Coordinates of all heavy atoms in Angstrom, one line a residue:
M135 N 7.9 111.6 69.1 CA 7.5 112.9 68.5 C 8.6 114.0 68.8 O 8.9 114.8 67.9 CB 6.1 113.3 69.0 CG 5.6 114.5 68.3 SD 5.3 114.1 66.6 CE 4.4 115.5 66.1
R136 N 9.0 114.0 70.1 CA 10.0 115.0 70.4 C 11.3 114.7 69.7 O 12.0 115.7 69.4 CB 10.3 114.9 71.9 CG 9.2 115.5 72.7 CD 9.5 115.5 74.2 NE 8.4 116.0 75.0 CZ 8.5 116.2 76.2 NH1 9.6 116.0 76.9 NH2 7.4 116.7 76.9
L137 N 11.6 113.5 69.5 CA 12.8 113.2 68.8 C 12.8 113.7 67.3 O 13.8 114.2 66.8 CB 13.1 111.7 68.8 CG 14.4 111.2 68.1 CD1 15.6 111.7 68.9 CD2 14.4 109.6 68.1
L138 N 11.6 113.6 66.7 CA 11.5 114.1 65.3 C 11.6 115.6 65.3 O 12.2 116.2 64.4 CB 10.1 113.6 64.8 CG 9.8 114.1 63.4 CD1 10.8 113.5 62.4 CD2 8.4 113.7 63.0
V139 N 11.0 116.3 66.2 CA 11.1 117.8 66.3 C 12.5 118.2 66.6 O 13.0 119.1 65.9 CB 10.1 118.3 67.4 CG1 10.4 119.8 67.6 CG2 8.7 118.0 67.1
L140 N 13.2 117.5 67.5 CA 14.6 117.8 67.7 C 15.4 117.6 66.5 O 16.3 118.4 66.2 CB 15.1 117.0 68.9 CG 16.5 117.2 69.4 CD1 16.6 118.7 69.9 CD2 16.9 116.2 70.5
L141 N 15.2 116.5 65.8 CA 15.9 116.2 64.6 C 15.7 117.3 63.5 O 16.6 117.7 62.8 CB 15.5 114.8 64.1 CG 16.2 114.3 62.8 CD1 17.7 114.1 63.0 CD2 15.6 113.1 62.3
L142 N 14.4 117.7 63.3 CA 14.1 118.7 62.3 C 14.7 120.1 62.7 O 15.2 120.8 61.9 CB 12.6 118.8 62.2 CG 11.9 117.7 61.5 CD1 10.4 117.8 61.5 CD2 12.4 117.5 60.1
L143 N 14.7 120.4 64.0 CA 15.3 121.7 64.4 C 16.8 121.6 64.2 O 17.5 122.6 63.8 CB 15.0 122.0 65.9 CG 13.6 122.4 66.2 CD1 13.3 122.6 67.6 CD2 13.3 123.7 65.4
T144 N 17.5 120.5 64.5 CA 18.9 120.4 64.3 C 19.2 120.5 62.8 O 20.2 121.2 62.4 CB 19.4 119.0 64.8 OG1 19.0 118.9 66.1 CG2 20.9 118.9 64.7
L145 N 18.4 119.9 61.9 CA 18.6 120.0 60.5 C 18.4 121.4 60.0 O 19.2 121.9 59.2 CB 17.6 119.0 59.8 CG 17.7 119.0 58.3 CD1 19.1 118.5 57.8 CD2 16.6 118.1 57.7
L146 N 17.4 122.1 60.5 CA 17.2 123.5 60.2 C 18.4 124.4 60.6 O 18.8 125.2 59.8 CB 15.9 124.0 60.8 CG 15.5 125.4 60.5 CD1 15.2 125.6 59.0 CD2 14.3 125.9 61.4
A147 N 18.9 124.2 61.8 CA 20.0 124.9 62.3 C 21.2 124.7 61.4 O 22.0 125.6 61.1 CB 20.3 124.6 63.7
A148 N 21.5 123.4 61.0 CA 22.6 123.1 60.2 C 22.5 123.8 58.8 O 23.5 124.3 58.3 CB 22.8 121.6 60.1
L149 N 21.3 123.7 58.2 CA 21.1 124.4 56.9 C 21.2 125.9 57.0 O 21.8 126.5 56.1 CB 19.7 124.0 56.4 CG 19.6 122.5 55.9 CD1 18.2 122.2 55.5 CD2 20.6 122.2 54.8
Q150 N 20.7 126.5 58.1 CA 20.8 127.9 58.2 C 22.3 128.3 58.4 O 22.7 129.3 57.9 CB 20.0 128.4 59.4 CG 18.5 128.4 59.2 CD 18.1 129.4 58.1 OE1 18.6 130.5 58.1 NE2 17.3 129.0 57.2
H151 N 23.0 127.5 59.2 CA 24.5 127.8 59.3 C 25.2 127.8 58.0 O 26.0 128.7 57.7 CB 25.1 126.8 60.3 CG 26.5 127.0 60.5 ND1 27.5 126.4 59.7 CD2 27.2 127.9 61.4 CE1 28.7 126.8 60.1 NE2 28.5 127.7 61.1
R152 N 24.9 126.8 57.2 CA 25.6 126.7 55.9 C 25.1 127.8 55.0 O 25.9 128.3 54.2 CB 25.2 125.3 55.3 CG 25.9 125.1 54.0 CD 25.8 123.7 53.5 NE 26.5 123.7 52.2 CZ 26.4 122.6 51.4 NH1 25.7 121.6 51.7 NH2 27.0 122.6 50.2
L153 N 23.9 128.2 55.1 CA 23.4 129.3 54.2 C 24.0 130.6 54.5 O 24.4 131.3 53.6 CB 21.8 129.4 54.4 CG 21.2 130.6 53.6 CD1 21.2 130.3 52.1 CD2 19.8 130.7 54.1
W154 N 24.2 130.9 55.8 CA 24.7 132.2 56.2 C 26.2 132.3 56.4 O 26.8 133.3 56.2 CB 24.0 132.7 57.4 CG 22.5 133.0 57.1 CD1 21.5 132.2 57.5 CD2 22.0 134.1 56.4 NE1 20.3 132.8 57.0 CE2 20.6 133.9 56.4 CE3 22.5 135.2 55.8 CZ2 19.7 134.8 55.7 CZ3 21.7 136.1 55.2 CH2 20.3 135.9 55.1
L155 N 26.8 131.2 56.8 CA 28.2 131.2 57.2 C 29.1 130.2 56.5 O 30.3 130.4 56.5 CB 28.3 131.0 58.7 CG 27.6 132.0 59.6 CD1 27.6 131.5 61.0 CD2 28.1 133.4 59.4
G156 N 28.6 129.3 55.8 CA 29.4 128.2 55.2 C 29.9 128.7 53.8 O 29.9 129.8 53.4
Q157 N 30.5 127.6 53.2 CA 31.0 127.9 51.8 C 29.9 128.2 50.9 O 28.9 127.6 50.9 CB 31.8 126.6 51.4 CG 32.6 126.8 50.1 CD 33.3 125.6 49.7 OE1 33.1 124.5 50.3 NE2 34.2 125.7 48.7
H158 N 30.2 129.2 50.0 CA 29.2 129.7 49.0 C 27.9 130.2 49.7 O 26.8 130.0 49.3 CB 28.8 128.6 48.0 CG 29.9 127.9 47.3 ND1 30.7 128.6 46.5 CD2 30.4 126.6 47.3 CE1 31.7 127.8 46.0 NE2 31.5 126.6 46.5
S159 N 28.2 131.0 50.7 CA 27.1 131.5 51.6 C 26.6 132.8 51.0 O 27.1 133.4 50.0 CB 27.5 131.7 53.0 OG 28.5 132.7 53.0
V160 N 25.6 133.3 51.6 CA 25.0 134.6 51.2 C 26.0 135.7 51.4 O 26.1 136.6 50.6 CB 23.7 134.9 52.0 CG1 23.1 136.3 51.8 CG2 22.6 133.8 51.7
M161 N 26.8 135.6 52.5 CA 27.8 136.7 52.8 C 28.8 136.7 51.6 O 29.2 137.8 51.2 CB 28.5 136.4 54.1 CG 27.5 136.3 55.3 SD 26.8 137.9 55.5 CE 27.7 138.5 56.9
E162 N 29.3 135.6 51.2 CA 30.2 135.5 50.1 C 29.6 136.1 48.8 O 30.2 136.8 48.0 CB 30.7 134.1 49.8 CG 31.8 133.6 50.7 CD 32.3 132.2 50.2 OE1 32.3 131.9 49.0 OE2 32.7 131.4 51.1
Y163 N 28.3 135.8 48.6 CA 27.6 136.3 47.4 C 27.6 137.8 47.4 O 27.9 138.5 46.4 CB 26.2 135.7 47.4 CG 25.3 136.4 46.4 CD1 25.4 136.1 45.0 CD2 24.3 137.3 46.8 CE1 24.6 136.7 44.1 CE2 23.5 138.0 45.9 CZ 23.6 137.7 44.5 OH 22.8 138.3 43.6
W164 N 27.3 138.4 48.6 CA 27.3 139.9 48.7 C 28.7 140.5 48.5 O 28.8 141.5 47.8 CB 26.7 140.3 50.1 CG 25.2 140.1 50.2 CD1 24.3 140.0 49.2 CD2 24.5 140.0 51.4 NE1 23.1 139.9 49.7 CE2 23.2 139.8 51.1 CE3 24.9 139.9 52.8 CZ2 22.2 139.6 52.1 CZ3 23.9 139.8 53.7 CH2 22.6 139.6 53.4
A165 N 29.7 139.8 49.0 CA 31.0 140.3 48.8 C 31.4 140.2 47.4 O 32.0 141.2 46.8 CB 32.0 139.4 49.7
H166 N 31.1 139.2 46.7 CA 31.4 139.0 45.3 C 30.6 140.1 44.4 O 31.1 140.6 43.4 CB 31.1 137.6 44.8 CG 32.1 136.6 45.3 ND1 33.5 136.7 45.0 CD2 31.9 135.5 45.9 CE1 34.1 135.7 45.6 NE2 33.2 134.9 46.1
K167 N 29.4 140.3 44.9 CA 28.6 141.3 44.1 C 29.2 142.7 44.2 O 29.2 143.4 43.2 CB 27.2 141.3 44.7 CG 26.1 141.9 43.9 CD 24.7 141.7 44.5 CE 23.7 142.4 43.6 NZ 22.3 142.2 44.2
T168 N 29.6 143.1 45.4 CA 30.3 144.4 45.5 C 31.6 144.5 44.8 O 31.9 145.5 44.2 CB 30.5 144.8 47.0 OG1 31.2 143.8 47.6 CG2 29.1 145.0 47.7
E169 N 32.3 143.4 44.8 CA 33.6 143.4 44.1 C 33.4 143.4 42.6 O 34.1 144.1 41.9 CB 34.3 142.1 44.4 CG 35.7 141.9 43.8 CD 36.4 140.6 44.2 OE1 35.9 139.9 45.1 OE2 37.4 140.3 43.6
L170 N 32.3 142.8 42.1 CA 32.0 142.9 40.7 C 31.6 144.3 40.3 O 32.0 144.8 39.2 CB 30.8 141.9 40.4 CG 30.3 141.9 39.0 CD1 31.4 141.4 38.0 CD2 29.1 141.0 38.9
A171 N 30.8 145.0 41.1 CA 30.5 146.4 40.8 C 31.7 147.3 40.7 O 31.8 148.1 39.8 CB 29.5 146.9 41.9
K172 N 32.6 147.1 41.6 CA 33.9 147.9 41.6 C 34.7 147.6 40.3 O 35.2 148.5 39.6 CB 34.8 147.6 42.8 CG 34.3 148.1 44.1 CD 35.2 147.7 45.2 CE 34.6 148.1 46.6 NZ 35.5 147.7 47.7
M173 N 34.7 146.3 39.9 CA 35.5 145.9 38.7 C 34.8 146.5 37.4 O 35.5 146.9 36.5 CB 35.6 144.4 38.6 CG 36.6 143.9 39.6 SD 36.8 142.1 39.3 CE 38.0 141.7 40.6
E174 N 33.4 146.5 37.4 CA 32.7 147.1 36.3 C 33.0 148.5 36.2 O 33.1 149.0 35.1 CB 31.2 146.8 36.4 CG 30.9 145.3 36.1 CD 29.4 145.0 36.4 OE1 28.7 145.9 37.0 OE2 28.9 144.0 35.9
Q175 N 33.1 149.3 37.3 CA 33.4 150.7 37.2 C 34.8 150.9 36.7 O 35.1 151.8 35.9 CB 33.3 151.3 38.6 CG 31.9 151.5 39.1 CD 31.8 152.1 40.5 OE1 32.7 152.1 41.2 NE2 30.6 152.5 40.9
Q176 N 35.8 150.1 37.2 CA 37.1 150.2 36.7 C 37.2 149.9 35.2 O 37.9 150.5 34.4 CB 38.0 149.2 37.4 CG 38.3 149.6 38.8 CD 39.1 148.5 39.6 OE1 39.3 147.4 39.1 NE2 39.5 148.9 40.8
N177 N 36.4 148.9 34.7 CA 36.4 148.6 33.3 C 35.8 149.7 32.5 O 36.3 150.0 31.3 CB 35.5 147.3 33.1 CG 36.3 146.1 33.4 OD1 37.5 146.1 33.6 ND2 35.6 145.0 33.5
E178 N 34.8 150.4 33.0 CA 34.3 151.6 32.3 C 35.3 152.7 32.1 O 35.5 153.3 31.0 CB 33.1 152.1 33.0 CG 31.8 151.3 32.9 CD 30.7 151.8 33.7 OE1 30.7 153.0 34.1 OE2 29.7 151.1 33.9
V179 N 36.1 152.9 33.2 CA 37.1 153.9 33.1 C 38.2 153.5 32.1 O 38.6 154.3 31.3 CB 37.8 154.2 34.5 CG1 39.0 155.0 34.4 CG2 36.7 154.8 35.4
L180 N 38.6 152.3 32.1 CA 39.6 151.8 31.2 C 39.1 151.8 29.8 O 39.8 152.0 28.8 CB 40.1 150.4 31.6 CG 40.9 150.3 32.9 CD1 41.1 148.9 33.3 CD2 42.1 151.1 32.8
A181 N 37.8 151.5 29.6 CA 37.2 151.5 28.2 C 37.3 152.9 27.6 O 37.6 153.1 26.5 CB 35.8 150.9 28.2
K182 N 37.0 153.9 28.5 CA 37.0 155.3 28.0 C 38.5 155.7 27.6 O 38.7 156.3 26.6 CB 36.5 156.2 29.1 CG 35.0 156.2 29.3 CD 34.6 157.1 30.4 CE 33.1 157.0 30.7 NZ 32.7 157.8 31.8
R183 N 39.4 155.3 28.5 CA 40.8 155.5 28.2 C 41.3 154.9 26.9 O 42.0 155.5 26.1 CB 41.7 155.1 29.4 CG 43.1 155.6 29.2 CD 44.0 155.0 30.2 NE 44.4 153.7 29.7 CZ 45.1 152.8 30.4 NH1 45.4 153.0 31.7 NH2 45.4 151.6 29.9
N184 N 40.8 153.6 26.7 CA 41.2 152.9 25.5 C 40.6 153.6 24.3 O 41.2 153.6 23.2 CB 40.7 151.4 25.6 CG 41.6 150.6 26.5 OD1 42.7 151.0 26.9 ND2 41.1 149.5 26.9
K185 N 39.4 154.1 24.4 CA 38.7 154.8 23.3 C 39.5 156.0 22.9 O 39.7 156.3 21.7 CB 37.3 155.1 23.7 CG 36.5 155.6 22.5 CD 35.0 155.8 23.0 CE 34.1 156.2 21.9 NZ 32.7 156.4 22.3
L186 N 40.0 156.8 23.9 CA 40.8 158.0 23.6 C 42.1 157.6 23.0 O 42.6 158.2 22.0 CB 41.0 158.7 24.9 CG 39.8 159.5 25.5 CD1 40.2 160.1 26.9 CD2 39.3 160.5 24.6
L187 N 42.7 156.5 23.5 CA 44.0 156.1 22.9 C 43.8 155.6 21.5 O 44.7 155.9 20.6 CB 44.7 155.0 23.8 CG 45.2 155.5 25.1 CD1 45.7 154.3 25.9 CD2 46.4 156.4 24.9
K188 N 42.7 154.9 21.2 CA 42.5 154.4 19.9 C 42.3 155.6 18.9 O 42.8 155.6 17.8 CB 41.3 153.5 19.9 CG 41.0 152.9 18.5 CD 39.9 151.9 18.6 CE 39.7 151.2 17.3 NZ 38.6 150.2 17.3
A189 N 41.6 156.6 19.3 CA 41.4 157.8 18.5 C 42.7 158.5 18.3 O 43.0 159.0 17.2 CB 40.4 158.8 19.2
D190 N 43.6 158.6 19.3 CA 44.9 159.1 19.1 C 45.7 158.4 18.1 O 46.4 159.0 17.3 CB 45.6 159.1 20.5 CG 46.4 160.4 20.8 OD1 46.3 161.4 20.0 OD2 47.2 160.4 21.8
V191 N 45.7 157.1 18.2 CA 46.4 156.2 17.2 C 45.9 156.4 15.8 O 46.7 156.5 14.9 CB 46.3 154.7 17.6 CG1 46.8 153.8 16.5 CG2 47.2 154.5 18.9
T192 N 44.6 156.5 15.7 CA 44.0 156.7 14.4 C 44.4 158.1 13.8 O 44.8 158.2 12.6 CB 42.5 156.7 14.5 OG1 42.1 155.4 15.0 CG2 41.8 156.8 13.1
D193 N 44.4 159.1 14.6 CA 44.9 160.4 14.2 C 46.4 160.4 13.7 O 46.7 161.0 12.7 CB 44.8 161.5 15.3 CG 43.4 161.9 15.5 OD1 42.5 161.6 14.6 OD2 43.1 162.5 16.6
L194 N 47.2 159.7 14.5 CA 48.6 159.6 14.1 C 48.8 158.7 12.8 O 49.7 159.0 12.1 CB 49.4 159.0 15.3 CG 49.6 159.9 16.5 CD1 50.2 159.1 17.6 CD2 50.3 161.1 16.1
Q195 N 48.0 157.7 12.6 CA 48.1 156.9 11.4 C 47.6 157.7 10.2 O 48.2 157.5 9.1 CB 47.3 155.6 11.5 CG 48.0 154.6 12.5 CD 47.1 153.4 12.7 OE1 46.0 153.4 12.4 NE2 47.8 152.4 13.3
I196 N 46.6 158.5 10.3 CA 45.9 159.1 9.1 C 46.7 160.3 8.6 O 47.0 160.4 7.4 CB 44.5 159.5 9.5 CG1 43.6 158.3 9.6 CG2 43.9 160.4 8.4 CD1 42.2 158.5 10.1
G197 N 47.0 161.2 9.5 CA 47.6 162.5 9.0 C 48.9 162.9 9.6 O 49.2 162.5 10.7
L198 N 49.6 163.7 8.9 CA 50.9 164.3 9.5 C 50.6 165.4 10.4 O 51.5 165.8 11.2 CB 51.8 164.7 8.3 CG 52.2 163.6 7.4 CD1 53.0 164.2 6.2 CD2 53.1 162.6 8.1
D199 N 49.4 166.0 10.4 CA 49.2 167.2 11.2 C 49.2 166.8 12.7 O 49.8 167.5 13.5 CB 47.8 167.7 10.9 CG 47.7 168.4 9.6 OD1 48.7 168.8 9.1 OD2 46.6 168.4 9.0
A200 N 48.7 165.6 13.1 CA 48.7 165.2 14.4 C 50.2 164.9 14.9 O 50.6 165.2 16.0 CB 47.9 163.9 14.6
I201 N 51.0 164.3 14.0 CA 52.4 164.0 14.3 C 53.1 165.3 14.5 O 53.9 165.5 15.5 CB 53.0 163.2 13.2 CG1 52.3 161.8 13.1 CG2 54.5 163.0 13.4 CD1 52.8 161.0 12.0
E202 N 52.9 166.3 13.6 CA 53.6 167.6 13.8 C 53.2 168.3 15.0 O 54.0 168.9 15.7 CB 53.2 168.5 12.5 CG 53.9 169.8 12.6 CD 53.5 170.7 11.4 OE1 53.0 170.1 10.4 OE2 53.7 171.9 11.5
E203 N 51.9 168.3 15.3 CA 51.4 168.9 16.6 C 52.0 168.3 17.8 O 52.5 169.0 18.7 CB 49.9 168.8 16.6 CG 49.3 169.4 17.9 CD 47.8 169.2 18.0 OE1 47.2 168.8 17.0 OE2 47.3 169.5 19.1
R204 N 52.1 167.0 17.8 CA 52.7 166.3 19.0 C 54.2 166.6 19.1 O 54.7 166.8 20.2 CB 52.5 164.8 18.9 CG 52.9 164.1 20.1 CD 52.3 162.7 20.1 NE 51.0 162.7 20.8 CZ 50.4 161.7 21.2 NH1 51.0 160.5 21.0 NH2 49.3 161.8 21.9
A205 N 54.9 166.7 18.0 CA 56.3 167.0 18.0 C 56.5 168.4 18.5 O 57.5 168.6 19.3 CB 56.9 166.8 16.6
R206 N 55.7 169.3 18.1 CA 55.9 170.7 18.5 C 55.6 170.8 20.0 O 56.3 171.5 20.7 CB 54.9 171.6 17.7 CG 55.4 171.9 16.3 CD 54.4 172.7 15.6 NE 54.7 173.0 14.3 CZ 55.5 174.1 13.9 NH1 55.8 175.0 14.8 NH2 55.8 174.2 12.6
N207 N 54.5 170.2 20.5 CA 54.1 170.4 21.9 C 55.0 169.6 22.8 O 55.4 170.1 23.9 CB 52.7 170.0 22.1 CG 51.7 170.9 21.4 OD1 52.0 172.1 21.2 ND2 50.5 170.5 21.1
E208 N 55.3 168.4 22.5 CA 56.0 167.5 23.5 C 57.5 167.6 23.3 O 58.2 167.5 24.3 CB 55.5 166.1 23.3 CG 54.1 165.9 23.7 CD 53.6 164.5 23.5 OE1 54.4 163.6 23.2 OE2 52.4 164.2 23.7
L209 N 58.0 167.8 22.1 CA 59.4 167.8 21.9 C 60.0 169.2 21.7 O 61.2 169.3 21.6 CB 59.8 166.8 20.7 CG 59.3 165.4 20.9 CD1 59.6 164.6 19.6 CD2 60.0 164.7 22.1
G210 N 59.2 170.1 21.4 CA 59.7 171.5 21.2 C 60.3 171.7 19.8 O 61.2 172.5 19.7
L211 N 59.9 170.9 18.9 CA 60.5 171.0 17.5 C 59.9 172.1 16.7 O 58.8 172.5 16.9 CB 60.3 169.6 16.8 CG 61.0 168.4 17.4 CD1 60.6 167.2 16.6 CD2 62.5 168.5 17.6
I212 N 60.8 172.7 15.9 CA 60.3 173.7 15.0 C 60.7 173.3 13.5 O 61.6 172.5 13.3 CB 60.9 175.1 15.3 CG1 62.4 175.0 15.3 CG2 60.4 175.5 16.7 CD1 63.1 176.4 15.5
R213 N 60.0 173.9 12.6 CA 60.3 173.7 11.2 C 61.5 174.4 10.7 O 62.0 175.4 11.4 CB 59.1 174.1 10.3 CG 57.9 173.2 10.3 CD 56.9 173.7 9.3 NE 55.7 172.9 9.4 CZ 54.6 173.2 8.8 NH1 54.5 174.3 8.1 NH2 53.6 172.4 8.9
Q214 N 62.1 174.0 9.6 CA 63.2 174.7 9.0 C 62.7 176.1 8.5 O 61.6 176.2 8.0 CB 63.8 173.9 7.8 CG 65.1 174.4 7.4 CD 65.7 173.4 6.3 OE1 65.1 172.5 5.9 NE2 66.9 173.8 5.9
D215 N 63.5 177.1 8.7 CA 63.2 178.5 8.3 C 62.2 179.1 9.2 O 61.6 180.1 8.8 CB 62.8 178.6 6.8 CG 63.9 178.2 5.9 OD1 65.1 178.3 6.3 OD2 63.6 177.7 4.8
E216 N 61.9 178.6 10.4 CA 61.0 179.2 11.3 C 61.8 179.9 12.4 O 62.9 179.4 12.7 CB 60.1 178.2 12.0 CG 58.9 177.8 11.3 CD 58.0 176.9 12.1 OE1 58.4 176.2 13.0 OE2 56.8 176.8 11.7
V217 N 61.3 180.9 12.9 CA 62.0 181.6 14.0 C 61.2 181.3 15.3 O 60.0 181.4 15.4 CB 62.0 183.2 13.8 CG1 62.7 183.9 14.9 CG2 62.7 183.5 12.4
F218 N 62.0 180.9 16.3 CA 61.4 180.5 17.6 C 61.7 181.7 18.6 O 62.8 182.1 18.8 CB 62.1 179.2 18.1 CG 61.6 178.8 19.4 CD1 60.3 178.3 19.6 CD2 62.4 178.9 20.5 CE1 59.9 177.9 20.8 CE2 62.0 178.5 21.8 CZ 60.7 178.0 21.9
F219 N 60.6 182.1 19.2 CA 60.7 183.2 20.2 C 60.3 182.6 21.5 O 59.2 182.0 21.6 CB 59.8 184.4 19.9 CG 60.2 185.1 18.7 CD1 59.6 184.9 17.5 CD2 61.2 186.1 18.8 CE1 60.0 185.6 16.4 CE2 61.5 186.8 17.7 CZ 60.9 186.6 16.5
R220 N 61.1 182.8 22.5 CA 60.8 182.3 23.9 C 60.6 183.5 24.8 O 61.5 184.3 25.0 CB 61.9 181.4 24.4 CG 61.5 180.8 25.8 CD 62.6 179.8 26.2 NE 62.1 179.2 27.4 CZ 62.8 178.3 28.0 NH1 64.0 177.9 27.5 NH2 62.4 177.7 29.1
I221 N 59.4 183.7 25.3 CA 59.1 184.9 26.1 C 59.1 184.5 27.6 O 58.3 183.6 28.0 CB 57.7 185.4 25.7 CG1 57.7 185.8 24.3 CG2 57.4 186.6 26.6 CD1 56.4 186.2 23.7
I222 N 60.0 185.1 28.3 CA 60.1 184.8 29.7 C 59.5 186.0 30.5 O 60.0 187.1 30.3 CB 61.6 184.5 30.1 CG1 62.1 183.4 29.3 CG2 61.7 184.3 31.6 CD1 63.6 183.2 29.4
S223 N 58.6 185.7 31.4 CA 58.0 186.8 32.2 C 59.0 187.2 33.3 O 59.7 186.3 33.8 CB 56.7 186.3 32.8 OG 56.9 185.2 33.6
P224 N 59.0 188.4 33.6 CA 59.9 188.9 34.7 C 59.5 188.3 36.0 O 58.3 188.1 36.3 CB 59.8 190.4 34.7 CG 58.5 190.7 34.0 CD 58.3 189.5 33.1
L225 N 60.5 188.1 36.9 CA 60.2 187.6 38.2 C 59.5 188.7 39.1 O 59.8 189.9 39.0 CB 61.5 187.2 38.9 CG 62.2 186.0 38.3 CD1 63.5 185.8 39.0 CD2 61.4 184.8 38.3
D226 N 58.5 188.2 39.8 CA 57.8 189.2 40.7 C 58.7 189.6 41.9 O 59.3 188.7 42.6 CB 56.5 188.5 41.3 CG 55.5 188.2 40.2 OD1 55.5 188.9 39.2 OD2 54.7 187.4 40.5
K227 N 58.9 190.8 42.1 CA 59.8 191.3 43.2 C 58.9 191.6 44.4 O 57.8 192.2 44.3 CB 60.5 192.6 42.7 CG 61.5 192.3 41.6 CD 62.2 193.6 41.3 CE 63.2 193.3 40.2 NZ 64.0 194.5 39.9
K228 N 59.3 191.1 45.5 CA 58.5 191.3 46.7 C 59.2 192.2 47.6 O 60.3 192.4 47.8 CB 58.3 189.9 47.4 CG 57.4 189.0 46.6 CD 57.2 187.7 47.4 CE 56.3 186.8 46.5 NZ 56.0 185.6 47.2

């Protein structure tokens, strides 16, 4: 009888070790679960960025107004027969 109890306790200890510390253990499961949550958050951020970029591309494909606005803001381009004024604020004297 003692041999059977000892055998069952040994088996229980081996199974518990494998459950908590072995390959595909509970610890690995928790680590993968937190990693998955982080990746899902990153995917949400990237999905929002992709949505904005897609809207930008659509604007550029549909109309010339978006192209003109981008050229004026980013490249400093002006139309023919337009006058460009650059206002420079005076330096603060201390």
Side-chain angles (χ1 to χ4, degrees):
M135 185 69 168
R136 287 186 183 185
L137 184 61
L138 181 63
V139 171
L140 184 63
L141 180 67
L142 288 175
L143 286 176
T144 306
L145 181 63
L146 180 65
L149 289 175
Q150 287 294 316
H151 178 269
R152 183 172 178 188
L153 175 68
W154 293 103
L155 303 173
Q157 186 179 12
H158 306 297
S159 65
V160 174
M161 302 297 255
E162 278 188 33
Y163 170 75
W164 287 336
H166 288 303
K167 193 173 180 179
T168 57
E169 186 179 348
L170 178 65
K172 288 178 188 177
M173 287 184 179
E174 285 175 346
Q175 287 177 346
Q176 290 174 350
N177 284 346
E178 288 177 14
V179 170
L180 292 174
K182 288 178 186 177
R183 191 188 81 188
N184 286 346
K185 191 174 182 180
L186 290 174
L187 289 173
K188 187 174 182 179
D190 220 11
V191 167
T192 304
D193 285 345
L194 290 173
Q195 288 175 342
I196 290 176
L198 296 176
D199 292 336
I201 296 171
E202 181 181 342
E203 179 185 348
R204 188 165 268 197
R206 286 177 180 268
N207 290 337
E208 294 178 9
L209 302 174
L211 299 178
I212 58 172
R213 287 186 182 167
Q214 192 173 3
D215 298 331
E216 276 187 339
V217 178
F218 177 73
F219 293 97
R220 184 173 187 180
I221 301 172
I222 301 173
S223 61
L225 297 175
D226 294 336
K227 292 183 180 181
K228 292 182 180 181

